Amino acid sequence: MQFRVGSTNSTTSLLRRHQSFVSHSTSPPSQTSKWNLNTRQINLRTLLNPIKENPNSLPSLLSYAQIFQLLTGTHFYKLGQQVHALMTLQGLQPNAYVAAKMVAMYASHGDIDSALFVFNRIDGERSSLLYNSILRGCAKNGYTEKTLEMYYDMNSIGLRPDNFTFPFVLKCCAELLRVGVGKCVHGQSLRVGLECDLYVGTSLIDMYVKCGEILEARKLFDEMPMRDVSSWNALIAGYMKNGVVGIAEDLFRRMSNRNIVSWTAMISGYAQNGLGDRAFDLFEEMQREGSEVKPNWVTIMSVLPACAHAAALEQGRRIHSYARWIGLDSNSYVQTALVSMYAKCGSLVDARSCFDRLCVKDKGLVAWNTMITAYASHGLGMEAVRTFEEMIRFRVQPDFISFTGLLSGCSHSGLVDIGLKYFNCMNSVYSVEPRVEHYACVVDLLGRAGRLVEAKELIDRMPMQPGPSIWGALLAACRTHRNVEIGEIAAKQLFVLEPENSGNYVLLSNMYAEVGRWEEVDNLRVIFKDQGMKKNPGCSWIEINGKAHLFHGGDTYHPQAKEIYMLLEDLPKKIKAAGYVPDTSFVLHDVSEEEKEHNLTTHSEKLAIAFGLLNTYPGTVLRVTKNLRICVDCHTATKYISKIYDREIIVRDVNRFHHFKDGSCSCGDYW
DNA sequence: ATAGGGTTAG
């Protein structure tokens, strides 16, 4: 697993924003009225009481239909079953109209089997209404293939699809990424003259957008005789999903009525495209806009990843308290997003407490996966395993993400045997087919443990093509265990698979340099230059009082540069007195030892830590984030710093968290 | 009864 870090530019600008944007001066919104539910219950009682009082009474089919309609979406599933049973006892066969209501009732409880049972044995002809009802049920409950099957069925018996039919079917085409089917359905909607319908048109835009055909969606949008907010929103989200941020922005600025969905589409689009700073800006702007638009749980859930990405813990806390203020923090999706945010911002304690606040029924697959991954990324492999087992006990079916979390957790903690055990039985016991990413985890697992030959053998007998993640894991392991021979094999594959990735050249070059093969180092340097590649610049940032401070390796223009460098120059003496020898094997070029040592003292993570030491009170925890993997030397130095200055230092690198305390690191030097 | 924004992993 990796923390995705965008381009340095976007990271830099992202970090400029750390001001409070949440105003707590407004009062929380009032609770939604319960009136609706009460009238529903009263109506239900007037229908049911006559039956209860006189068991011989024979209610009409119409009143049965009304009962089922009132029961749809309520908690009275059992009652619905009883009424159904009563109907059967009275020898009443539901007609298409009653069946449609029954199907809706069962489907609203996720009971598709019963819905299909009713659907398949009705009295008389089926209606479009009945088909729409079953389509809705199947589509809403993830039975996508079944939905399409039903749609074919409906056409084959000559029933005319209407404005309600198409949205359900198109949603499934989008989910299955079946543009071919979608185009066919598009044709049918034209044939029945529904191209002007707002719902059908918007569903078509959405379908094309999700299948990646943004031009087709645009064409449709431009040709629509009538559009509303939803059509605009669908297109905006479409451009965002396809990474075309500029056009999305343009549309957003041009549209006349924006609603909360429009704002959320923009905010989440920014966050997903690695533009967290703009996500925050817009979130603020939306609040300034006044009472017209109120953020809802989707909005909150969409800003949180931007905090996670920037490791902006204080920002995240502010959004959390804002969510609490407007009464959205109890939403299970928001809570799950909070777990992830806190974990990625380095606070495992807060992550866990949010997780614990979720009640049992709200602890869904995603929440469990998030917690497992959180432990894994903080190097608590055994906790990840325990959480996974707990999830199984709660009868939550794991998916491929559960296993990437579990396996990477084992890998980072050196739990080789446990990891292999899970990998070997994930299909047979848990019915999860291993994917490339799982193989990558196991290559990593074996590789970190120094079992490089076994790792290579695993790659050779993989059932799928090994991709960059596989060879990358092997190369990194070869670097750690100084195996040039296998490292070359991995690197050569990577040069073909991802020629633009400079990191691979740097890694191999370092390996050659270490064993003194300078000729090969020179060769690589030539290739490196010829292809115009640049070393991915390392940068680190530290959050102090909710404000982020960014450093690049060798920065000298910082206002406090002088003090920072003084502290760092002083450091080797202090550390050497404690028996520390700098590890210079991670420097790319062949330079003299002193120069190497100098380069190392100015690595960005050291600058950030020094800055933190200078600008916080003794005892404050330092939280540093780095866009690359932390190097061995900085890792060692940080251990000493934590001891000499008596500080807890938490470093998040691309792969995981390191908690430094009292001279040692939570990773046990195993990463 | 119908459309548009969506948390985990990469």
Side-chain angles (χ1 to χ4, degrees), chain A residues 285-334:
Chain A
E285 191 187 326
M286 182 185 75
Q287 287 169 322
R288 282 197 305 268
E289 196 83 342
S291 54
E292 286 300 305
V293 276
K294 281 251 181 300
N296 58 24
W297 63 274
V298 184
T299 320
I300 301 294
M301 195 178 68
S302 307
V303 235
L304 288 170
C307 307
H309 181 249
L313 181 60
E314 291 311 315
Q315 184 103 325
R317 281 195 206 285
R318 275 199 295 271
I319 294 185
H320 187 179
S321 60
Y322 175 69
R324 205 179 286 129
W325 180 254
I326 58 175
L328 289 172
D329 67 320
S330 51
N331 178 286
S332 63
Y333 291 87
V334 169

Side-chain angles (χ1 to χ4, degrees), chain A residues 361-663:
Chain A
K361 74 166 173 44
D362 282 347
K363 265 186 198 143
L365 174 64
V366 178
W368 287 102
N369 284 352
T370 307
M371 203 60 229
I372 292 169
T373 309
Y375 281 129
S377 68
H378 282 264
L380 297 169
M382 223 35 239
E383 286 303 319
V385 171
R386 246 173 247 139
T387 309
F388 176 83
E389 286 301 335
E390 202 185 339
M391 164 182 173
I392 300 298
R393 276 201 302 281
F394 275 96
R395 306 204 173 282
V396 175
Q397 165 67 33
D399 71 349
F400 69 101
I401 295 171
S402 324
F403 279 94
T404 46
L406 180 63
L407 293 173
S408 75
C410 291
S411 169
H412 286 302
S413 300
L415 304 170
V416 186
D417 294 329
I418 298 177
L420 287 174
K421 190 195 87 192
Y422 279 116
F423 176 68
N424 288 325
C425 73
M426 59 186 276
N427 199 1
S428 54
V429 178
Y430 303 100
S431 324
V432 180
E433 189 83 40
R435 299 192 188 186
V436 205
E437 49 264 53
H438 302 115
Y439 278 91
C441 284
V442 178
V443 169
D444 192 55
L445 181 79
L446 291 166
R448 279 175 203 278
R451 292 156 71 166
L452 297 167
V453 178
E454 278 171 83
K456 177 68 177 53
E457 280 168 3
L458 179 73
I459 297 176
D460 292 336
R461 51 166 216 274
M462 272 172 63
M464 66 285 271
Q465 251 339 302
S469 59
I470 300 283
W471 295 114
L474 188 63
L475 180 61
C478 291
R479 172 72 183 106
T480 310
H481 294 283
R482 309 188 161 155
N483 187 322
V484 185
E485 204 184 317
I486 300 181
E488 275 178 329
I489 300 174
K492 277 180 186 146
Q493 295 286 343
L494 286 166
F495 293 159
V496 177
L497 289 169
E498 39 175 38
E500 74 296 338
N501 186 337
S502 59
N504 300 325
Y505 290 89
V506 177
L507 222 57
L508 186 64
S509 174
N510 284 338
M511 290 174 76
Y512 282 140
E514 199 179 39
V515 292
R517 288 163 68 171
W518 302 114
E519 220 169 286
E520 273 113 331
V521 173
D522 280 338
N523 289 344
L524 280 177
R525 200 186 298 168
V526 172
I527 301 173
F528 204 84
K529 271 197 169 162
D530 281 353
Q531 304 195 348
M533 278 190 285
K534 272 191 243 146
K535 232 174 140 174
N536 191 1
C539 71
S540 303
W541 60 91
I542 182 167
E543 198 186 54
I544 293 173
N545 297 327
K547 199 172 178 326
H549 302 266
L550 178 73
F551 296 90
H552 286 94
D555 270 357
T556 49
Y557 54 80
H558 193 277
Q560 272 179 284
K562 210 172 159 195
E563 289 161 272
I564 292 171
Y565 280 96
M566 268 170 62
L567 190 144
L568 286 175
E569 272 160 29
D570 213 32
L571 212 68
K573 280 176 234 150
K574 287 191 178 172
I575 296 177
K576 270 176 188 156
Y580 159 73
V581 182
D583 181 344
T584 51
S585 67
F586 272 74
V587 183
L588 176 58
H589 301 303
D590 175 22
V591 282
S592 69
E593 285 300 312
E594 297 94 295
E595 262 173 20
K596 278 189 186 180
E597 209 176 300
H598 178 70
N599 286 343
L600 288 172
T601 56
T602 62
H603 269 178
S604 63
E605 54 267 53
K606 283 207 188 109
L607 297 177
I609 290 170
F611 178 80
L613 288 173
L614 288 167
N615 292 285
T616 53
Y617 291 107
T620 313
V621 178
L622 300 181
R623 297 171 192 277
V624 174
T625 307
K626 177 168 183 173
N627 69 336
L628 304 172
R629 211 177 89 146
I630 186 172
C631 85
V632 175
D633 180 76
C634 287
H635 191 266
T636 315
T638 308
K639 284 197 288 185
Y640 282 96
I641 293 171
S642 75
K643 190 165 177 70
I644 295 167
Y645 289 91
D646 192 21
R647 290 292 189 109
E648 194 179 336
I649 303 169
I650 301 173
V651 178
R652 176 180 120 179
D653 73 4
V654 253
N655 287 321
R656 58 166 295 157
F657 281 93
H658 299 263
H659 291 251
F660 296 94
K661 206 181 169 182
D662 214 16

Side-chain angles (χ1 to χ4, degrees), chain A residues 117-169:
Chain A
F117 179 85
V118 174
F119 178 86
N120 285 326
R121 41 170 68 206
I122 66 136
D123 206 23
E125 277 194 4
R126 289 169 181 172
S127 62
S128 291
L129 178 85
L130 176 58
Y131 266 101
N132 287 342
S133 185
I134 195 78
L135 286 170
R136 175 179 195 257
C138 290
K140 278 243 158 79
N141 289 283
Y143 291 72
T144 34
E145 298 279 1
K146 189 82 192 159
T147 313
L148 295 184
E149 200 184 296
M150 285 288 177
Y151 177 67
Y152 295 136
D153 226 40
M154 182 177 181
N155 281 295
S156 68
I157 63 167
L159 272 176
R160 183 181 248 265
D162 60 17
N163 55 326
F164 293 102
T165 315
F166 290 112
F168 302 132
V169 179

Side-chain angles (χ1 to χ4, degrees), chain A residues 4-215:
Chain A
R4 290 188 303 166
V5 176
S7 69
T8 316
N9 268 346
S10 72
T11 312
T12 321
S13 54
L14 166 60
L15 297 168
R16 279 194 214 112
R17 306 220 40 86
H18 270 257
Q19 294 307 310
S20 167
F21 55 87
V22 173
S23 147
H24 282 198
S25 55
T26 48
S27 54
S30 62
Q31 295 291 310
T32 42
S33 143
K34 292 262 163 72
W35 189 83
N36 229 344
L37 189 66
N38 288 338
T39 20
R40 188 191 273 246
Q41 281 177 345
I42 292 162
N43 288 338
L44 200 55
R45 235 169 260 145
T46 39
L47 284 161
L48 286 171
N49 279 345
I51 309 177
K52 277 191 201 151
E53 282 156 16
N54 178 9
N56 296 325
S57 71
L58 268 179
S60 66
L61 275 175
L62 194 68
S63 41
Y64 272 118
Q66 282 174 335
I67 294 172
F68 289 124
Q69 184 162 353
L70 288 167
L71 286 173
T72 301
T74 64
H75 290 115
F76 308 121
Y77 175 64
K78 278 254 157 68
L79 186 57
Q81 278 185 316
Q82 284 167 354
V83 177
H84 184 181
L86 184 66
M87 261 184 89
T88 315
L89 279 174
Q90 293 174 337
L92 277 174
Q93 276 288 347
N95 59 18
Y97 182 73
V98 183
K101 302 294 172 197
M102 292 171 81
V103 164
M105 189 271 292
Y106 279 124
S108 75
H109 292 102
D111 187 354
I112 295 300
D113 286 339
S114 301
L116 285 168
F117 179 85
V118 174
F119 178 86
N120 285 326
R121 41 170 68 206
I122 66 136
D123 206 23
E125 277 194 4
R126 289 169 181 172
S127 62
S128 291
L129 178 85
L130 176 58
Y131 266 101
N132 287 342
S133 185
I134 195 78
L135 286 170
R136 175 179 195 257
C138 290
K140 278 243 158 79
N141 289 283
Y143 291 72
T144 34
E145 298 279 1
K146 189 82 192 159
T147 313
L148 295 184
E149 200 184 296
M150 285 288 177
Y151 177 67
Y152 295 136
D153 226 40
M154 182 177 181
N155 281 295
S156 68
I157 63 167
L159 272 176
R160 183 181 248 265
D162 60 17
N163 55 326
F164 293 102
T165 315
F166 290 112
F168 302 132
V169 179
L170 289 167
K171 195 171 215 141
C172 295
C173 297
E175 205 165 296
L176 296 165
L177 300 175
R178 301 258 273 272
V179 224
V181 183
K183 282 192 170 147
C184 185
V185 177
H186 183 182
Q188 276 155 326
S189 73
L190 288 174
R191 218 164 303 143
V192 294
L194 280 168
E195 67 271 32
C196 295
D197 186 88
L198 277 175
Y199 288 82
V200 177
T202 306
S203 299
L204 281 167
I205 292 176
D206 183 56
M207 184 273 295
Y208 281 121
V209 142
K210 293 205 169 124
C211 294
E213 302 224 1
I214 187 78
L215 291 176

